[in-house]
Amino acid sequence: MTKIEEFIEETGAFDCVECGKCTSLCPVANINSDFAPRLIVVKAQEGLESEIKRDKDIWSCITCEICNDMCPYEVDFSGFIQRMRVEAVGMGNVPVCSEAGAVQTMQRITGMGQKQNRLAWLTDDLKVSDKGDVYYFTGCAYQLGILFNDKAPELKEIPANVVRIMNAAGIEPVVSNKEVCCGHDQLWSGDEVGFIDLMEQNVEMIKETGAKKVVFSCPEGFRTFNIDYQGFLGDLDFEILHISEFLMNLIDEGKLEFKETDETVTYHDSCRLGRHAGIYDTPRDLLDAMGVEFVEMASSQEKALCCGVNAFTNCNEASRQLQMMRLLEAKQTGAETMLAFCPKCVIHYNCLLSMEKMPIEREKIDIKVKDFSNFVAEHMK
Ligand code: SF4
Ligand code: SF4
Ligand code: SF4
């Protein structure tokens, strides 16, 4: 069996009947008429492996999984793209890196076993452990907050705030300086070797701590452990929880209380948490439990629009238009703030909001975009 036949079988692409639903609903195809997921699937069925590997279109997909969700034959298009990117990079077809490759450089440094301080955010007032049942996977939020200090400085506060919330509920989570980036961007940029190395380091490190539960504030880390690590390694012997699930359990046990607020918010379903991992209700339940007034955007949950960039590659005009469309929806709710769990969504939306020259009148999209975990910490009693 050739590689492409393997991918077609694993992702169900043989079942495609060329209905075109994916192309008609794809946000990128709706902006760029040269891009069509259906045609990529058809080329795969026809065995045009090297043509797909050379095709720049495999980098235009933002892997939002709208097509996966809407395909009547359940073709896993984003899974197909993920595998084809690894093959494409092997042939020299590489993505265009945004930010002049700064994020990729940061990832390379974090992944190369270079000595680094992953716990620079840890202050004396925070209680953490070396071993225990609950491991908090801090991910790259702090590092991204430093790199994007001009657009989303609040990201630096996420790890400390999550620990603060856990401490308030009587939990002293395990955190580790041996943690490395989860490898999400490496995998979606076609660097499978780099990804496997990071995965092995993280799994080994978590095993050493004896943790039974691993909690993620970042949707990308959550998806990567849940789907990709378990896809490569089989079932991991610890539970994988998103912070929204973990916090809802604490609220149900009466361990967290919140201040009264009259702030109105809307919530952006980041694709890694929503369509990729199926978590739609718990963030909304959390807002309800906090007593926060919540208004839904015109497109939400399975149909939510995406922030327009994937793995910090191919940020372009289509990305800008998608960001603008989403901020327009958020503003139209009348909410003061749009919350998101994904640090990268917060960066990309604030990037558009920080532009001097906007593609639209500023007042139509001008809304605060904030990290959800920080918002929870600010509203604790
Ligand atoms: S929606 Fe599914 S069946 Fe229809 S063209 Fe796309 S991949 Fe094929
Ligand atoms: S994953 Fe998203 S961007 Fe990629 S083809 Fe599907 S709908 Fe389009
Ligand atoms: S939208 Fe994101 S990737 Fe694009 S320029 Fe802004 S921060 Fe960089």
Side-chain angles (χ1 to χ4, degrees):
M1 203 186 260
T2 64
K3 276 262 184 232
I4 202 160
E5 283 168 347
E6 252 176 57
F7 300 159
I8 288 179
E9 195 170 288
E10 281 166 23
T11 56
F14 267 135
D15 296 333
C16 168
V17 294
E18 295 189 47
C19 69
K21 209 170 169 189
C22 51
T23 303
S24 69
L25 294 168
C26 168
V28 175
N30 283 327
I31 293 171
N32 169 8
S33 56
D34 292 336
F35 177 72
R38 183 186 68 84
L39 290 181
I40 298 177
V41 177
V42 171
K43 277 186 200 166
Q45 285 181 332
E46 289 172 357
L48 302 173
E49 182 169 355
S50 53
E51 200 175 307
I52 301 176
K53 283 190 206 167
R54 273 195 292 268
D55 196 343
K56 285 286 170 199
D57 273 355
I58 64 167
W59 299 110
S60 300
C61 167
I62 48 176
T63 67
C64 67
E65 291 201 352
I66 287 183
C67 56
N68 293 41
D69 258 29
M70 303 301 162
C71 172
Y73 293 90
E74 296 181 1
V75 174
D76 175 11
F77 184 77
S78 67
F80 179 78
I81 285 288
Q82 190 194 66
R83 290 167 182 78
M84 284 311 292
R85 285 180 176 181
V86 176
E87 300 296 310
V89 166
M91 279 183 74
N93 176 7
V94 294
V96 178
C97 293
S98 312
E99 307 294 328
V103 183
Q104 285 78 9
T105 304
M106 180 187 97
Q107 287 158 351
R108 241 172 269 132
I109 293 168
T110 66
M112 278 182 348
Q114 210 90 349
K115 199 162 170 47
Q116 49 180 307
N117 184 7
R118 297 286 288 182
L119 303 180
W121 50 270
L122 191 56
T123 47
D124 291 344
D125 58 313
L126 300 169
K127 297 189 192 84
V128 294
S129 317
D130 296 329
K131 289 198 185 302
D133 283 350
V134 179
Y135 183 89
Y136 169 41
F137 192 92
T138 56
C140 298
Y142 181 80
Q143 287 76 9
L144 286 170
I146 292 176
L147 201 56
F148 291 94
N149 195 42
D150 57 332
K151 298 183 174 92
E154 65 149 337
L155 300 182
K156 297 198 288 283
E157 313 300 325
I158 296 175
N161 272 334
V162 170
V163 172
R164 215 160 268 134
I165 300 168
M166 290 187 179
N167 286 173
I171 296 162
E172 296 183 11
V174 182
V175 290
S176 172
N177 228 346
K178 286 195 198 165
E179 182 183 304
V180 287
C181 166
C182 68
H184 172 278
D185 286 5
Q186 283 82 349
L187 189 58
W188 289 99
S189 310
D191 177 11
E192 193 175 78
V193 173
F195 165 78
I196 290 172
D197 182 42
L198 294 169
M199 172 178 75
E200 287 172 346
Q201 291 184 58
N202 278 327
V203 171
E204 186 55 36
M205 174 275 298
I206 290 170
K207 277 188 183 154
E208 281 171 17
T209 68
K212 307 266 185 310
K213 288 181 183 180
V214 180
V215 181
F216 296 82
S217 44
C218 174
E220 290 190 341
F222 178 68
R223 180 233 133 93
T224 303
F225 269 66
N226 236 328
I227 299 174
D228 303 307
Y229 282 20
Q230 300 204 104
F232 275 89
L233 302 172
D235 284 354
L236 294 168
D237 49 11
F238 45 78
E239 197 182 348
I240 298 163
L241 287 164
H242 183 249
I243 188 76
S244 61
E245 301 173 299
F246 189 73
L247 294 182
M248 277 313 293
N249 292 340
L250 295 178
I251 291 170
D252 290 344
E253 290 164 18
K255 290 183 175 164
L256 286 177
E257 287 185 76
F258 299 95
K259 295 184 265 199
E260 274 188 29
T261 174
D262 53 9
E263 195 168 345
T264 305
V265 304
T266 188
Y267 169 66
H268 169 64
D269 294 274
S270 301
C271 52
R272 266 51 187 166
L273 192 61
R275 279 183 294 270
H276 287 232
I279 295 198
Y280 297 111
D281 292 340
T282 45
R284 291 168 171 82
D285 293 345
L286 191 49
L287 290 171
D288 187 42
M290 290 170 69
V292 176
E293 199 177 331
F294 166 67
V295 268
E296 199 73 86
M297 280 183 264
S299 68
S300 66
Q301 308 202 21
E302 291 89 347
K303 296 199 172 86
L305 292 176
C306 165
C307 72
V309 186
N310 161 242
F312 279 104
T313 60
N314 283 38
C315 178
N316 53 29
E317 261 322 295
S319 316
R320 289 283 176 226
Q321 281 202 43
L322 290 170
Q323 287 152 10
M324 191 182 69
M325 283 157 66
R326 190 53 161 168
L327 289 173
L328 208 49
E329 281 193 346
K331 186 74 182 177
Q332 280 165 357
T333 63
E336 294 154 58
T337 307
M338 178 171 87
L339 298 175
F341 272 111
C342 181
K344 291 180 189 164
C345 291
V346 175
I347 294 170
H348 302 316
Y349 288 123
N350 277 313
C351 178
L352 179 65
L353 290 168
S354 68
M355 285 174 77
E356 269 186 32
K357 272 197 182 165
M358 294 238 168
I360 189 172
E361 297 95 278
R362 185 174 294 274
E363 57 274 15
K364 289 197 174 153
I365 58 168
D366 200 10
I367 184 168
K368 271 188 276 172
V369 180
K370 286 197 65 164
D371 173 76
F372 204 132
S373 302
N374 283 342
F375 181 82
V376 174
E378 280 162 23
H379 287 77
M380 269 193 329
K381 257 191 188 161

